[in-house]
């Protein structure tokens, strides 16, 4: 039984999980043998996988800092948080504005078990964690944690990072994101990364097959399909681009090849 009172046996250690594979590839420690086996198999199919995953994480750092510094966002709703990896979203936002408030959402019990790392807010700000499925926006928006942490009379930055490629067409990823965004006021922002196979179709296709073989089917999207998430919103320059090309900060993006990145990134403002 972990210190937070949640039973450890809720965690499925026999089957690989996308968040734990991500943690393993990034050099974390919160994974199990099934996740290591999956990550190793995927990296054999596409040796650039660690570069790709690190670029996605670096995009999150730059995007959140941009939202806090340039867009003056002080409220964040982070969907599909994943295993805590410092700096976490609230640490980035609160380093710019200590009063920032963050709600994290995930449905993996291991994330909840480790959530103390997500709840260490500054005294001026606040963080909260909701255990809920991304595909059930009404549970997220109707939760006490959401109501107690975020003020919907003020803009909110909705971050949906590296998750919609696990939502198939029949589950309507665009509609899910829209249901999360609709209640947020004018001046809010949507920040997303969206999986694609357009730059290395064979290699990324093989990785997708490895995920599917472990009951994690993927829906990789074209640039036109990525634009559907931002219909009616005002895209921030440079629009929807591969993550390493979005506001690079000179910390190694120049050395990344386009064919080593399978993720689009963008931020847009809600009018």
């Amino acid at each position: 039984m972990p210190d937070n009172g949640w039973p450890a046996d809720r965690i499925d250690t026999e089957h690989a999980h996308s968040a734990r594979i991500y943690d393993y590839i990034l050099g974390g420690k919160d994974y199990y043998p099934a996740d290591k086996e999956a990550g190793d198999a995927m990296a054999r199919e596409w040796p650039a996988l660690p570069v790709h995953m690190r670029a996605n994480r670096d995009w999150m750092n730059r995007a959140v800092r941009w939202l806090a510094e340039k867009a003056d966002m002080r409220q964040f709703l982070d969907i599909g948080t994943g295993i805590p990896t410092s700096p976490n979203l609230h640490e980035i936002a609160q380093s710019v504005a200590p009063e920032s408030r963050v709600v994290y959402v995930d449905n993996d019990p291991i994330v909840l078990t480790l959530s103390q790392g997500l709840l260490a807010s500054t005294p001026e700000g606040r963080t909260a964690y909701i255990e809920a499925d991304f595909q059930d926006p009404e549970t997220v928006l109707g939760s006490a944690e959401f109501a107690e942490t975020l003020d919907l009379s003020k803009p909110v930055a909705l971050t949906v990072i590296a998750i919609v490629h696990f939502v198939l067409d029949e589950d309507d990823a665009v509609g899910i994101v829209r249901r999360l965004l609709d209640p947020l006021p004018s001046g809010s922002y949507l920040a997303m990364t969206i999986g694609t196979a357009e730059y290395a179709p064979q290699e990324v296709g093989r990785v997708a097959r490895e995920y599917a073989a472990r009951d994690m089917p993927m829906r990789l999207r074209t640039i036109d399909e990525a634009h559907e998430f931002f219909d009616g919103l005002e895209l921030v320059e440079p629009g929807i681009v591969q993550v390493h090309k979005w506001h690079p900060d000179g910390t190694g993006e120049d050395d990344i090849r386009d064919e080593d990145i399978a993720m689009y990134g963008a931020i847009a403002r809600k009018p």
Side-chain angles (χ1 to χ4, degrees):
M1 179 82 72
D3 292 342
N4 60 18
W6 288 86
D9 61 9
R10 285 187 58 202
I11 300 171
D12 179 0
T13 63
E14 297 300 317
H15 299 91
H17 187 283
S18 58
R20 300 196 306 255
I21 295 170
Y22 188 67
D23 182 72
Y24 168 66
I25 294 291
L26 291 182
K29 57 182 177 56
D30 298 304
Y31 59 87
Y32 295 96
D35 309 303
K36 180 180 186 301
E37 182 276 330
D40 288 343
M42 293 168 188
R44 284 194 297 271
E45 295 293 351
W46 189 34
L49 185 63
V51 175
H52 157 80
M53 288 188 170
R54 173 52 62 189
N56 180 77
R57 186 74 189 182
D58 290 345
W59 183 91
M60 186 278 286
N61 294 350
R62 298 195 308 276
V64 172
R65 183 166 295 279
W66 187 94
L67 287 163
E69 288 183 344
K70 306 298 185 184
D72 295 323
M73 288 292 103
R74 299 296 180 262
Q75 301 191 108
F76 296 80
L77 175 60
D78 184 49
I79 302 296
T81 296
I83 291 170
T85 302
S86 189
N88 293 301
L89 190 152
H90 74 277
E91 294 172 310
I92 300 166
Q94 290 179 349
S95 72
V96 176
E99 70 273 22
S100 297
R101 303 167 77 87
V102 178
V103 172
Y104 291 110
V105 180
D106 208 292
N107 67 342
D108 182 6
I110 195 171
V111 178
L112 179 61
T113 299
L114 299 168
S115 64
Q116 286 307 113
L118 302 173
L119 300 176
S121 174
T122 59
E124 303 94 323
R126 182 168 181 173
T127 64
Y129 182 89
I130 302 171
E131 186 184 26
D133 192 328
F134 159 65
Q135 298 189 52
D136 184 9
E138 288 71 30
T139 294
V140 175
L141 299 169
S143 69
E145 293 87 352
F146 181 90
E148 292 167 2
T149 308
L150 302 182
D151 177 1
L152 290 186
S153 71
K154 300 174 182 177
V156 176
L158 171 63
T159 57
V160 185
I161 299 172
I163 185 172
V164 294
H165 52 273
F166 292 114
V167 182
L168 304 183
D169 288 344
E170 56 264 34
D171 295 314
D172 187 18
V174 173
I176 292 168
V177 172
R178 190 60 54 171
R179 282 152 59 199
L180 288 162
L181 187 63
D182 280 349
L184 307 184
S186 174
S188 293
Y189 281 80
L190 172 62
M192 292 186 70
T193 62
I194 301 164
T196 184
E198 291 195 294
Y199 293 87
Q202 293 184 357
E203 295 87 343
V204 176
R206 291 197 297 267
V207 172
R209 286 194 290 275
E210 293 289 342
Y211 273 105
R214 294 164 178 81
D215 295 322
M216 293 177 282
M218 303 180 81
R219 172 63 165 90
L220 300 165
R221 292 176 169 84
T222 65
I223 187 68
D224 289 341
E225 290 169 331
H227 271 278
E228 294 176 11
F229 289 96
F230 299 96
D231 282 350
L233 306 179
E234 301 165 351
L235 280 164
V236 171
E237 291 294 333
I240 303 173
V241 296
Q242 287 176 286
V243 288
H244 66 300
K245 296 180 177 180
W246 194 92
H247 292 254
D249 60 8
T251 57
E253 298 93 344
D254 290 344
D255 297 328
I256 297 176
R257 304 183 308 162
D258 290 357
E259 56 266 37
D260 290 345
I261 301 297
M263 199 78 77
Y264 288 121
I267 293 180
R269 181 181 182 275
K270 182 178 179 179

